[in-house]
Amino acid sequence: MVESRLTRWLLRAGTGLTLVFIYGPLLVIGLYAFNRNVTQKWPIEEYSTRWFSVAFNDDGVREALTLSILAALGATAIALVLGTLASLAVARYQFFGREVITFAVVLPIALPGIVTGLALQATIVDVLGPIGVSFGLATIIVGHATFCVVVVYNNVIARIRRTSGALDEASADLGADYWQTTRYVMFPQMRTALLAGGLLAFALSFDEVVVTIFTSGAQQTLPIWIFATLARPAQLPIVNVVALFLVVASIIPVYIAQRLAGGGGPDEERAPTIPTAAP
Amino acid sequence: MSHAPDIRIRGLVKRFGDVTAVDDVDLEIERGEFFTMLGPSGSGKTTTLRMIAGFEIPDEGSIELAGRDVSRLPPYERPVNTVFQDYALFPHMTVAQNVEYGLMVKRVAKDERRRRAAASLEMVRLGGYGARKPAQLSGGQRQRVALARAIVNEPQVLLLDEPLGALDLKLRQEMQIELKRIQQEVGITFVYVTHDQEEALTMSDRIAVFHRGRIEQIGPPAEVYEHPESEFIAGFVGVSNVIEREGRRYTVRPEKIHVLADGAQAPDGVRVEAGTVRDVQYVGPVTRYHVTLDRGGELQMLAQNLEEGSMEVLASKGRRLRLQWRPEHESVIVETEEGNA
């Protein structure tokens, strides 16, 4: 069907407007990071990079950054292991409750983060507290892993569904047992999907706020640090710098993941699997 | 023969839900045979092949390879290898790695692996292609790699699942000759699945015609073609040229029917039927005539265009003529449970 000139114009305008809404505010924050003055005023009068070194040398920022990286690495590691195992089981075997498992794995991404957080907090305080568990890095990691697993699972299972069927059989036919097939055929097929899923999981964990509030106790991840520091006007320039850093740190892994998921092999068309909703 | 056949299948049944895909199949295939399972899609031929390979477990019956029951063994414990319809080459490995795969997982020493893979690639005329990736090959070349990858393991039986289905006509005809040559060279039993009757007739030592999960006829190509036992086979292997006379239903192959010249006397014992040409199809070297018979029924006749041009043959539409054929070319149809499935 050929759209009329008006339809085409409307579609273009709509797309343009959407992009402006999404990226305009980000641009503003990005520019504020280069604002020389402590007070925020639009338009910016004088540009400078001086707040970058201030932010870089700020102890609070450094601690928060370290915690965020550790939490994201931990959550990603858990997600890679559990997500891969779940996707292998669901893709390869017909078993009782398979649909339930699929649903249960994917659900956390749609659950309200505040409910997930509340539930985790209640469990940590009331159930695990008496046996010596307290808030800290470990609880943040577990909290983030709940939604990171989905990302890995979705990426890997999409790859398995698209490529493996006949290759599995061919491998078994040539004499390879289950583990040999997994090692020589399945894993190489999944490699880029794992990397893509891992990067997305890392990005999701890195900028997560809601669940972190309920699972972090007194420590602050980078997003939480921003949230807490917003109330102090004197710190605002540093917040802007950190915000810009967060945006860049989120975009890079997502961009790489897209490329990996999209261009996995010369003979196989592979669509990326980005989660539909962030918690 | 005293030794066990290479493949012996007894009472094989496979159901998928309410559908019985394979319905009580018995089969014996001798060592070194080129055996073809021919049938339309959904006739059970591929499911039978997949049960021999081990990808499906039969609901009933047994499969023996050289006297050993393998019905319940996983694919990797069976001495068979498969050439898949879509080749199923490992895209992340080179051609050589693909061919060596079976030997590698069986922990054959590296030197021997190299040597055998090279020899196998040589056999399918792909020597020197070892370093390429499957994506860099043409469809026909991938097909040959798939073949080399299977043969290098020296399986007892090679299963081929419509291996030429994705190739164009010319390549397909070349590969038919190739396959036959390779089979004679290696002496392995080939079990070949196809829906292409010409392919089956060209290559096979014997053909089993599948229909609705059962085997309707087994025999050498000439026998299946010239003496189809059911109306289905008459139609599937060739064209259905079936007429009924004096309570006998029989088929005559179109190329066995000739025109009796006007006023000529038919030789003794030859069948003669008068009719009208309903339709004419000019097919280059031959012409296909559809003739409606005065005594009922219709026959197709195939005539070589030795003298006639296309204008002449097409002008014969509507003409009256007499057909003749010899009684020994009639093949009586034994009706087998038509509409009984």
Side-chain angles (χ1 to χ4, degrees):
Chain A
M1 198 185 86
V2 181
E3 319 94 351
S4 73
R5 188 164 297 190
L6 179 69
T7 321
R8 211 159 47 204
W9 188 87
L10 281 173
L11 282 173
R12 274 190 198 155
T15 311
L17 214 60
T18 312
L19 290 176
V20 167
F21 266 119
I22 295 174
Y23 293 103
L26 285 180
L27 197 67
V28 172
I29 276 287
L31 287 176
Y32 270 141
F34 295 93
N35 184 5
R36 194 170 204 296
N37 295 331
V38 177
T39 48
Q40 264 174 219
K41 195 157 143 266
W42 193 260
I44 295 165
E45 282 163 357
E46 200 180 344
Y47 291 93
S48 151
T49 53
R50 69 174 176 143
W51 297 114
F52 282 80
S53 64
V54 175
F56 186 74
N57 290 312
D58 187 286
D59 284 342
V61 173
R62 287 189 157 205
E63 275 170 34
L65 178 63
T66 310
L67 185 67
S68 275
I69 289 174
L70 289 178
L73 285 177
T76 303
I78 292 179
L80 283 174
V81 173
L82 296 185
T84 305
L85 291 178
S87 56
L88 280 176
V90 168
R92 272 209 187 154
Y93 299 106
Q94 296 284 341
F95 56 87
F96 179 73
R98 197 177 83 146
E99 299 306 314
V100 179
I101 298 261
T102 307
F103 185 70
V105 170
V106 178
L107 183 65
I109 205 131
L111 278 180
I114 197 152
V115 176
T116 309
L118 206 60
L120 281 165
Q121 192 186 44
T123 309
I124 292 161
V125 172
D126 303 331
V127 181
L128 300 175
I131 57 169
V133 176
S134 60
F135 291 115
L137 180 61
T139 53
I140 301 175
I141 288 174
V142 171
H144 287 191
T146 57
F147 52 82
C148 287
V149 170
V150 194
V151 186
V152 174
Y153 171 86
N154 274 345
N155 268 276
V156 174
I157 203 154
R159 177 66 54 83
I160 293 175
R161 290 227 168 99
R162 226 167 287 130
T163 58
S164 79
L167 297 183
D168 250 21
E169 284 188 351
S171 176
D173 186 74
L174 290 165
D177 61 28
Y178 178 88
W179 294 111
Q180 287 173 319
T181 298
T182 304
R183 178 173 161 202
Y184 297 123
V185 177
M186 297 297 287
F187 182 70
Q189 292 298 309
M190 296 184 326
R191 209 159 37 196
T192 51
L194 283 173
L195 199 50
L199 285 167
L200 287 172
F202 188 92
L204 268 187
S205 162
F206 199 69
D207 59 16
E208 210 283 335
V209 175
V210 183
V211 172
T212 318
I213 289 175
F214 288 95
T215 52
S216 63
Q219 291 166 294
Q220 289 175 336
T221 61
L222 216 48
I224 302 284
W225 179 88
I226 291 178
F227 202 62
T229 314
L230 266 180
R232 285 183 281 170
Q235 296 274 68
L236 212 49
I238 303 181
V239 170
N240 287 332
V241 170
V242 172
L244 179 62
F245 174 76
L246 260 182
V247 169
V248 174
S250 305
I251 288 175
I252 290 171
V254 173
Y255 174 76
I256 298 174
Q258 280 262 24
R259 294 285 307 254
L260 284 175
D267 59 338
E268 212 67 58
E269 200 186 307
R270 283 162 190 160
T273 311
I274 304 293
T276 46
Chain B
M1 270 182 265
S2 57
H3 67 275
D6 230 19
I7 302 179
R8 176 185 283 146
I9 290 173
R10 283 197 191 126
L12 202 64
V13 175
K14 180 69 186 178
R15 300 182 200 91
F16 296 107
D18 295 338
V19 182
T20 305
V22 174
D23 188 3
D24 196 17
V25 161
D26 294 294
L27 200 57
E28 287 195 2
I29 302 172
E30 289 301 327
R31 178 116 202 100
E33 237 187 318
F34 197 121
F35 189 89
T36 297
M37 305 202 280
L38 173 70
S41 59
S43 60
K45 57 190 194 306
T46 297
T47 306
T48 303
L49 190 87
R50 289 175 59 79
M51 284 192 277
I52 300 174
F55 302 135
E56 308 284 354
I57 299 299
D59 292 320
E60 288 169 38
S62 67
I63 298 167
E64 287 174 22
L65 296 178
R68 184 164 74 112
D69 189 342
V70 298
S71 319
R72 261 98 202 144
L73 290 183
Y76 51 85
E77 284 175 15
R78 300 187 187 203
V80 300
N81 285 116
T82 307
V83 176
F84 295 87
Q85 184 172 14
D86 57 359
Y87 322 138
L89 299 179
F90 306 123
H92 57 287
M93 298 184 194
T94 63
V95 166
Q97 286 170 334
N98 264 283
V99 177
E100 283 180 35
Y101 188 81
L103 303 173
M104 180 199 63
V105 296
K106 277 175 226 124
R107 303 202 164 77
V108 173
K110 203 159 199 170
D111 290 349
E112 192 188 337
R113 240 152 66 190
R114 288 262 162 77
R115 192 172 45 72
R116 281 169 67 179
S120 189
L121 280 171
E122 207 63 57
M123 174 172 290
V124 297
R125 302 186 201 278
L126 279 181
Y129 282 73
R132 301 207 190 176
K133 285 284 183 73
Q136 294 170 289
L137 303 180
S138 71
Q141 290 170 332
R142 288 184 209 182
Q143 180 56 68
R144 287 159 190 263
V145 175
L147 196 61
R149 185 177 69 171
I151 285 177
V152 75
N153 305 293
E154 293 164 9
Q156 187 185 330
V157 176
L158 186 72
L159 307 174
L160 302 104
D161 183 10
E162 309 225 13
L164 310 183
L167 305 180
D168 61 50
L169 180 66
K170 219 171 158 92
L171 209 50
R172 207 156 63 218
Q173 288 169 340
E174 273 174 43
M175 279 303 288
Q176 286 175 13
I177 299 167
E178 278 288 285
L179 274 175
K180 193 71 190 169
R181 171 184 69 82
I182 289 166
Q183 196 249 346
Q184 277 157 0
E185 242 175 274
V186 296
I188 296 172
T189 308
F190 274 35
V191 180
Y192 191 95
V193 160
T194 184
H195 63 266
D196 184 324
Q197 50 124 341
E198 198 185 300
E199 223 167 82
L201 294 174
T202 313
M203 293 192 285
S204 319
D205 295 320
R206 281 194 305 153
I207 298 173
V209 186
F210 277 69
H211 183 43
R212 294 176 173 161
R214 291 167 177 269
I215 296 178
E216 281 205 1
Q217 187 172 357
I218 299 187
E223 190 185 302
V224 173
Y225 181 72
E226 286 168 15
H227 301 289
E229 285 174 6
S230 73
E231 194 154 346
F232 167 76
I233 293 173
F236 191 74
V237 186
V239 295
S240 165
N241 242 6
V242 179
I243 55 173
E244 192 163 344
R245 294 288 181 265
E246 288 94 35
R248 272 168 87 237
R249 283 175 70 73
Y250 59 85
T251 178
V252 193
R253 291 304 184 192
E255 65 277 12
K256 302 291 192 209
I257 303 174
H258 306 285
V259 176
L260 184 61
D262 290 342
Q265 188 68 41
D268 279 352
V270 166
R271 308 262 189 213
V272 178
E273 291 248 359
T276 309
V277 177
R278 181 180 64 76
D279 201 6
V280 184
Q281 288 162 321
Y282 176 76
V283 211
V286 294
T287 301
R288 193 176 293 131
Y289 297 89
H290 299 253
V291 180
T292 309
L293 302 176
D294 294 350
R295 293 174 64 197
E298 183 176 295
L299 284 178
Q300 271 188 47
M301 183 191 82
L302 216 53
Q304 278 189 283
N305 297 328
L306 298 176
E307 309 287 342
E308 305 86 345
S310 63
M311 298 305 284
E312 288 168 69
V313 299
L314 291 172
S316 60
K317 191 167 169 179
R319 184 175 297 169
R320 297 279 304 157
L321 46 64
R322 285 184 298 163
L323 300 179
Q324 59 164 338
W325 64 86
R326 298 220 295 273
E328 63 262 37
H329 291 139
E330 295 170 357
S331 184
V332 175
I333 299 290
V334 193
E335 225 31 76
T336 52
E337 337 168 27
E338 196 66 34
N340 197 20

